[in-house]
Coordinates of all heavy atoms in Angstrom, one line a residue:
Chain H
F279 N 245.7 113.5 113.2 CA 246.4 114.8 113.0 C 246.3 115.6 114.3 O 245.3 115.7 115.0 CB 245.6 115.6 111.9 CG 246.5 116.5 111.2 CD1 246.9 116.3 109.9 CD2 247.0 117.7 111.8 CE1 247.7 117.1 109.1 CE2 247.8 118.5 111.1 CZ 248.1 118.3 109.8
S280 N 247.5 116.1 114.7 CA 247.7 117.0 115.8 C 248.6 116.4 116.9 O 249.1 117.2 117.7 CB 246.4 117.4 116.5 OG 245.7 118.3 115.7
N281 N 248.7 115.1 116.9 CA 249.6 114.5 117.9 C 249.2 114.9 119.3 O 250.0 115.3 120.1 CB 251.1 114.8 117.7 CG 252.0 113.9 118.4 OD1 251.6 112.7 118.7 ND2 253.1 114.3 118.8
E282 N 247.9 114.8 119.6 CA 247.4 115.0 120.9 C 248.1 114.1 121.9 O 248.5 113.0 121.5 CB 245.9 114.8 121.0 CG 245.0 115.7 120.1 CD 244.8 117.1 120.8 OE1 245.1 117.2 122.0 OE2 244.4 118.0 120.1
S283 N 248.1 114.5 123.2 CA 248.9 113.6 124.1 C 248.3 112.2 124.2 O 249.0 111.3 124.4 CB 249.0 114.3 125.4 OG 247.7 114.7 125.9
F284 N 247.0 112.1 124.1 CA 246.5 110.7 124.2 C 246.9 109.7 123.1 O 246.8 108.5 123.3 CB 244.9 110.8 124.4 CG 244.2 111.2 123.1 CD1 244.0 110.3 122.1 CD2 243.7 112.5 123.0 CE1 243.3 110.7 120.9 CE2 243.0 112.9 121.9 CZ 242.8 112.0 120.8
T285 N 247.3 110.3 122.0 CA 247.7 109.4 120.9 C 248.8 108.4 121.3 O 248.9 107.3 120.8 CB 248.2 110.2 119.7 OG1 249.2 111.0 120.0 CG2 247.0 111.0 119.1
A286 N 249.6 108.8 122.2 CA 250.7 107.9 122.7 C 250.2 107.0 123.7 O 250.9 106.0 124.0 CB 251.9 108.8 123.2
L287 N 249.1 107.3 124.3 CA 248.6 106.5 125.4 C 247.7 105.3 125.1 O 247.6 104.3 125.8 CB 247.9 107.4 126.4 CG 248.6 108.6 127.0 CD1 247.7 109.4 127.8 CD2 249.8 108.1 127.8
I288 N 247.0 105.5 124.0 CA 246.0 104.4 123.6 C 246.7 103.3 123.0 O 247.9 103.3 122.6 CB 244.9 105.0 122.7 CG1 245.5 105.6 121.4 CG2 244.1 106.1 123.4 CD1 244.5 106.1 120.5
D289 N 245.9 102.2 122.8 CA 246.5 101.0 122.3 C 245.7 100.5 121.1 O 244.5 100.3 121.2 CB 246.5 99.9 123.4 CG 247.1 98.6 122.9 OD1 248.2 98.7 122.3 OD2 246.5 97.6 123.1
P290 N 246.3 100.4 119.9 CA 247.7 100.7 119.6 C 247.9 102.2 119.5 O 246.9 102.9 119.3 CB 247.8 100.1 118.2 CG 246.5 100.1 117.6 CD 245.5 99.9 118.8
G291 N 249.1 102.6 119.7 CA 249.5 104.0 119.6 C 249.0 104.6 118.3 O 249.1 103.9 117.2
L292 N 248.5 105.8 118.3 CA 248.0 106.3 117.0 C 249.0 107.2 116.3 O 249.5 108.2 116.9 CB 246.7 107.2 117.4 CG 246.1 108.0 116.2 CD1 245.6 107.0 115.2 CD2 244.9 108.8 116.8
T293 N 249.3 106.8 115.1 CA 250.2 107.6 114.3 C 249.5 108.9 114.0 O 248.3 109.0 113.8 CB 250.5 106.9 112.9 OG1 251.1 105.6 113.2 CG2 251.3 107.7 112.0
S294 N 250.3 110.0 114.1 CA 249.7 111.3 114.0 C 250.7 112.4 113.5 O 251.9 112.1 113.5 CB 249.1 111.7 115.3 OG 248.3 112.9 115.2
V295 N 250.1 113.5 113.0 CA 251.0 114.5 112.5 C 251.2 115.6 113.6 O 250.3 116.1 114.1 CB 250.3 115.2 111.3 CG1 251.2 116.4 110.8 CG2 250.1 114.2 110.2
D296 N 252.5 115.7 114.0 CA 252.8 116.7 115.1 C 252.9 118.1 114.5 O 253.6 118.3 113.5 CB 254.1 116.3 115.8 CG 254.3 117.1 117.0 OD1 253.8 116.8 118.0 OD2 255.0 118.1 116.8
Q297 N 252.3 119.0 115.2 CA 252.3 120.4 114.7 C 253.4 121.3 115.2 O 253.5 122.5 115.0 CB 251.0 121.0 114.9 CG 249.9 120.4 114.2 CD 248.5 120.9 114.7 OE1 248.0 120.6 115.7 NE2 247.9 121.7 113.8
H298 N 254.3 120.7 116.0 CA 255.4 121.4 116.5 C 255.0 122.7 117.3 O 255.6 123.7 117.0 CB 256.4 121.8 115.4 CG 257.1 120.6 114.9 ND1 257.8 119.7 115.7 CD2 257.3 120.1 113.7 CE1 258.4 118.8 115.0 NE2 258.0 119.0 113.7
S299 N 254.1 122.5 118.1 CA 253.6 123.7 118.8 C 254.7 124.4 119.6 O 254.8 125.6 119.6 CB 252.5 123.3 119.8 OG 252.8 122.1 120.5
K300 N 255.5 123.7 120.3 CA 256.6 124.3 121.0 C 257.6 125.0 120.1 O 257.9 126.2 120.4 CB 257.3 123.2 121.8 CG 258.1 123.7 123.0 CD 258.3 122.5 123.9 CE 259.5 122.7 124.9 NZ 259.7 121.5 125.7
K301 N 257.9 124.3 119.1 CA 258.8 125.0 118.1 C 258.2 126.2 117.5 O 258.9 127.2 117.2 CB 259.1 124.0 116.9 CG 259.9 122.8 117.3 CD 261.4 123.0 117.1 CE 262.2 121.8 117.4 NZ 263.3 122.0 118.3
M302 N 256.9 126.2 117.4 CA 256.2 127.3 116.8 C 256.4 128.5 117.7 O 256.7 129.6 117.3 CB 254.7 127.0 116.6 CG 254.0 128.1 115.9 SD 252.3 127.6 115.6 CE 252.4 126.4 114.3
G303 N 256.3 128.3 119.0 CA 256.5 129.3 120.0 C 258.0 129.8 120.0 O 258.3 131.0 120.0
Q304 N 258.9 128.9 119.8 CA 260.3 129.2 119.8 C 260.6 130.1 118.5 O 261.3 131.1 118.6 CB 261.2 128.0 119.8 CG 261.1 127.2 121.2 CD 261.7 125.9 121.1 OE1 262.0 125.3 120.0 NE2 262.0 125.3 122.3
F305 N 260.1 129.6 117.4 CA 260.4 130.4 116.2 C 259.8 131.8 116.3 O 260.4 132.8 115.9 CB 259.8 129.7 115.0 CG 260.7 128.7 114.4 CD1 260.6 127.4 114.6 CD2 261.7 129.1 113.5 CE1 261.5 126.5 114.0 CE2 262.6 128.3 113.0 CZ 262.5 126.9 113.2
T306 N 258.6 131.9 116.9 CA 257.9 133.2 117.0 C 258.8 134.1 117.8 O 259.1 135.3 117.4 CB 256.6 133.0 117.7 OG1 255.8 132.1 116.9 CG2 255.8 134.3 117.7
A307 N 259.3 133.6 119.0 CA 260.1 134.4 119.9 C 261.4 134.8 119.2 O 261.8 136.0 119.3 CB 260.3 133.7 121.2
N308 N 262.0 133.9 118.5 CA 263.2 134.2 117.8 C 263.1 135.2 116.7 O 263.9 136.0 116.5 CB 263.9 132.9 117.3 CG 264.6 132.1 118.4 OD1 265.3 132.7 119.2 ND2 264.5 130.8 118.4
L309 N 262.0 135.1 116.0 CA 261.7 136.0 114.9 C 261.6 137.4 115.5 O 262.2 138.4 115.0 CB 260.4 135.6 114.2 CG 260.0 136.5 113.1 CD1 261.0 136.6 112.0 CD2 258.7 136.0 112.5
F310 N 261.0 137.5 116.7 CA 260.9 138.8 117.4 C 262.2 139.3 117.7 O 262.6 140.5 117.4 CB 260.0 138.6 118.6 CG 260.1 139.8 119.6 CD1 259.4 141.0 119.3 CD2 260.9 139.7 120.7 CE1 259.5 142.1 120.1 CE2 261.0 140.8 121.6 CZ 260.3 142.0 121.3
L311 N 263.1 138.5 118.3 CA 264.4 138.9 118.7 C 265.2 139.4 117.4 O 266.0 140.3 117.5 CB 265.1 137.8 119.4 CG 264.5 137.4 120.7 CD1 265.2 136.2 121.4 CD2 264.5 138.6 121.7
D312 N 265.0 138.7 116.3 CA 265.7 139.0 115.1 C 265.3 140.4 114.6 O 266.1 141.2 114.2 CB 265.4 138.0 114.0 CG 266.1 136.7 114.2 OD1 267.0 136.7 115.1 OD2 265.8 135.7 113.5
R313 N 264.0 140.6 114.7 CA 263.4 141.9 114.3 C 264.0 143.1 115.1 O 264.2 144.2 114.5 CB 261.9 141.9 114.5 CG 261.1 141.1 113.5 CD 261.2 141.8 112.2 NE 260.4 141.1 111.2 CZ 261.0 140.5 110.1 NH1 262.3 140.4 110.0 NH2 260.2 139.9 109.2
L314 N 264.3 142.8 116.3 CA 264.9 143.9 117.2 C 266.2 144.3 116.7 O 266.6 145.5 116.7 CB 265.0 143.4 118.6 CG 263.7 143.2 119.4 CD1 264.0 142.9 120.8 CD2 262.9 144.5 119.3
K315 N 267.0 143.3 116.3 CA 268.4 143.5 115.9 C 268.5 144.6 114.8 O 269.3 145.5 115.0 CB 269.1 142.2 115.5 CG 269.5 141.4 116.7 CD 270.1 140.1 116.2 CE 270.0 139.1 117.4 NZ 270.0 137.7 116.9
D316 N 267.8 144.4 113.8 CA 267.9 145.4 112.7 C 266.5 146.1 112.5 O 265.9 145.8 111.5 CB 268.4 144.9 111.4 CG 267.8 143.5 111.1 OD1 266.8 143.1 111.8 OD2 268.3 142.8 110.2
K317 N 266.1 146.9 113.5 CA 264.8 147.5 113.4 C 264.9 148.7 112.4 O 263.9 149.3 112.1 CB 264.3 148.0 114.7 CG 265.3 148.9 115.5 CD 264.5 149.6 116.6 CE 264.0 148.7 117.6 NZ 263.4 149.4 118.7
S318 N 266.1 149.0 112.0 CA 266.3 150.1 111.1 C 265.5 150.0 109.8 O 264.6 150.8 109.5 CB 267.8 150.2 110.7 OG 268.2 148.9 110.3
K319 N 265.7 148.9 109.1 CA 265.0 148.7 107.8 C 263.5 148.5 108.0 O 263.1 147.9 109.0 CB 265.7 147.6 107.1 CG 267.2 147.6 107.0 CD 267.7 146.2 106.6 CE 269.0 145.9 107.2 NZ 269.3 144.5 107.1
D320 N 262.9 148.8 107.0 CA 261.4 148.5 107.0 C 261.3 147.1 106.4 O 261.5 146.8 105.3 CB 260.7 149.5 106.0 CG 259.3 149.7 106.5 OD1 258.9 149.4 107.6 OD2 258.5 150.2 105.6
H321 N 260.9 146.2 107.4 CA 260.9 144.8 107.0 C 259.7 144.4 106.1 O 258.6 144.9 106.4 CB 260.9 143.9 108.2 CG 262.2 143.7 108.8 ND1 263.2 142.9 108.2 CD2 262.9 144.2 109.8 CE1 264.3 142.9 108.9 NE2 264.1 143.7 109.9
T322 N 259.9 143.5 105.2 CA 258.8 142.9 104.5 C 258.3 141.8 105.5 O 259.1 141.1 106.0 CB 259.2 142.3 103.2 OG1 260.5 142.8 102.8 CG2 258.2 142.4 102.2
P323 N 257.0 141.7 105.6 CA 256.5 140.6 106.5 C 257.0 139.2 106.0 O 257.0 139.0 104.8 CB 255.0 140.7 106.3 CG 254.8 142.2 106.0 CD 256.0 142.6 105.2
T324 N 257.4 138.4 106.9 CA 257.9 137.1 106.6 C 256.9 136.0 107.1 O 256.4 136.1 108.2 CB 259.2 136.9 107.3 OG1 260.2 137.7 106.7 CG2 259.7 135.4 107.0
K325 N 256.7 135.1 106.3 CA 255.8 134.0 106.7 C 256.7 132.8 106.9 O 257.4 132.3 106.0 CB 254.8 133.7 105.5 CG 253.9 132.6 105.8 CD 252.8 132.6 104.6 CE 252.1 131.3 104.5 NZ 251.2 131.3 103.3
T326 N 256.7 132.3 108.1 CA 257.6 131.1 108.4 C 256.7 129.9 108.5 O 255.7 129.8 109.3 CB 258.3 131.3 109.8 OG1 259.0 132.5 109.7 CG2 259.2 130.1 110.0
V327 N 256.9 128.9 107.6 CA 256.1 127.8 107.6 C 256.8 126.6 108.1 O 257.8 126.1 107.6 CB 255.7 127.4 106.1 CG1 254.8 126.2 106.1 CG2 255.0 128.7 105.5
L328 N 256.3 126.1 109.2 CA 257.0 124.9 109.9 C 256.6 123.6 109.2 O 255.4 123.5 108.8 CB 256.6 124.9 111.4 CG 257.1 126.0 112.2 CD1 256.7 125.7 113.7 CD2 258.6 126.1 112.1
N329 N 257.5 122.8 109.2 CA 257.4 121.5 108.5 C 256.8 120.5 109.6 O 257.5 120.2 110.5 CB 258.8 121.1 108.1 CG 258.7 120.1 106.9 OD1 257.8 119.3 106.9 ND2 259.7 120.1 106.1
P330 N 255.6 120.1 109.4 CA 255.0 119.2 110.4 C 255.8 117.8 110.4 O 256.4 117.4 109.4 CB 253.6 119.0 110.0 CG 253.6 119.3 108.5 CD 254.7 120.3 108.3
E331 N 255.7 117.1 111.5 CA 256.4 115.8 111.6 C 255.4 114.7 111.8 O 254.5 114.8 112.6 CB 257.3 115.9 112.8 CG 258.1 114.6 113.0 CD 259.0 114.7 114.2 OE1 259.0 115.8 114.9 OE2 259.8 113.8 114.5
L332 N 255.6 113.7 111.0 CA 254.7 112.5 111.1 C 255.3 111.6 112.3 O 256.4 111.2 112.2 CB 254.7 111.7 109.8 CG 253.7 110.5 109.8 CD1 252.3 111.0 109.9 CD2 253.9 109.7 108.6
I333 N 254.5 111.4 113.3 CA 254.9 110.6 114.4 C 254.3 109.2 114.1 O 253.1 109.0 114.2 CB 254.4 111.1 115.7 CG1 254.8 112.5 115.9 CG2 255.0 110.2 116.9 CD1 256.3 112.8 116.1
I334 N 255.2 108.3 113.8 CA 254.7 106.9 113.4 C 254.6 106.0 114.6 O 255.5 105.8 115.4 CB 255.6 106.3 112.4 CG1 255.7 107.2 111.1 CG2 255.2 104.9 112.0 CD1 256.6 106.8 110.1
R335 N 253.4 105.5 114.8 CA 253.1 104.6 115.9 C 252.5 103.3 115.3 O 252.3 103.2 114.1 CB 252.2 105.2 117.0 CG 252.9 106.5 117.6 CD 252.2 106.8 118.9 NE 252.8 108.1 119.5 CZ 252.4 109.3 119.2 NH1 251.4 109.5 118.3 NH2 253.0 110.3 119.7
S336 N 252.1 102.4 116.2 CA 251.6 101.1 115.7 C 250.4 101.2 114.9 O 250.2 100.3 114.0 CB 251.3 100.2 117.0 OG 252.3 100.4 117.9
S337 N 249.5 102.2 115.0 CA 248.2 102.1 114.3 C 248.4 102.1 112.8 O 247.4 101.9 112.1 CB 247.4 103.3 114.8 OG 247.9 104.5 114.2
S338 N 249.5 102.4 112.3 CA 249.7 102.5 110.9 C 250.9 101.7 110.4 O 251.2 101.6 109.2 CB 249.9 103.9 110.4 OG 251.2 104.4 110.9
L339 N 251.5 101.0 111.3 CA 252.8 100.4 110.9 C 252.6 98.9 110.6 O 252.8 98.0 111.4 CB 253.8 100.5 112.1 CG 255.3 100.6 111.7 CD1 255.5 101.7 110.7 CD2 256.1 100.8 112.9
K340 N 252.4 98.7 109.3 CA 252.2 97.3 108.8 C 253.6 96.7 108.5 O 253.8 95.5 108.6 CB 251.4 97.3 107.5 CG 250.0 97.7 107.7 CD 249.2 97.5 106.4 CE 247.8 97.8 106.6 NZ 247.0 97.6 105.4
Q341 N 254.5 97.6 108.1 CA 255.8 97.0 107.8 C 256.9 97.6 108.7 O 256.6 98.5 109.5 CB 256.2 97.5 106.3 CG 255.0 97.1 105.4 CD 255.3 97.6 104.0 OE1 256.4 98.1 103.7 NE2 254.4 97.2 103.1
V342 N 258.1 97.1 108.5 CA 259.2 97.6 109.3 C 259.4 99.1 108.9 O 259.4 99.4 107.8 CB 260.5 96.8 109.1 CG1 261.6 97.3 110.0 CG2 260.2 95.4 109.3
K343 N 259.7 99.9 109.9 CA 259.8 101.3 109.7 C 261.0 101.5 108.8 O 262.1 100.9 108.9 CB 260.0 102.0 111.0 CG 260.0 103.6 110.8 CD 259.6 104.2 112.1 CE 260.7 104.1 113.1 NZ 260.3 104.9 114.4
E344 N 260.9 102.4 107.8 CA 262.0 102.7 106.9 C 262.7 103.9 107.1 O 263.9 104.0 107.2 CB 261.4 102.7 105.5 CG 261.1 101.3 105.0 CD 260.3 101.4 103.7 OE1 260.4 102.4 103.0 OE2 259.6 100.4 103.4
H345 N 262.0 105.0 107.3 CA 262.7 106.3 107.5 C 262.0 107.1 108.6 O 260.8 107.0 108.8 CB 262.8 107.0 106.2 CG 261.6 107.9 105.9 ND1 260.3 107.3 105.8 CD2 261.4 109.2 105.8 CE1 259.4 108.3 105.6 NE2 260.1 109.4 105.6

Side-chain angles (χ1 to χ4, degrees):
Chain H
F279 209 107
S280 290
N281 198 29
E282 296 281 348
S283 50
F284 67 77
T285 54
L287 302 175
I288 58 179
D289 181 49
L292 177 60
T293 296
S294 189
V295 178
D296 187 85
Q297 296 172 285
H298 289 307
S299 43
K300 200 161 161 184
K301 293 265 181 232
M302 189 176 282
Q304 292 169 344
F305 271 102
T306 303
N308 278 321
L309 181 57
F310 167 75
L311 294 176
D312 288 348
R313 284 290 182 251
L314 288 187
K315 278 175 200 157
D316 42 11
K317 57 163 61 176
S318 49
K319 313 167 213 162
D320 207 18
H321 278 287
T322 338
T324 294
K325 181 172 162 186
T326 304
V327 181
L328 294 184
N329 203 328
E331 180 181 2
L332 185 67
I333 307 291
I334 298 173
R335 300 197 180 87
S336 319
S337 74
S338 68
L339 210 55
K340 294 186 175 184
Q341 310 179 357
V342 184
K343 189 155 72 178
E344 283 168 23
H345 84 299

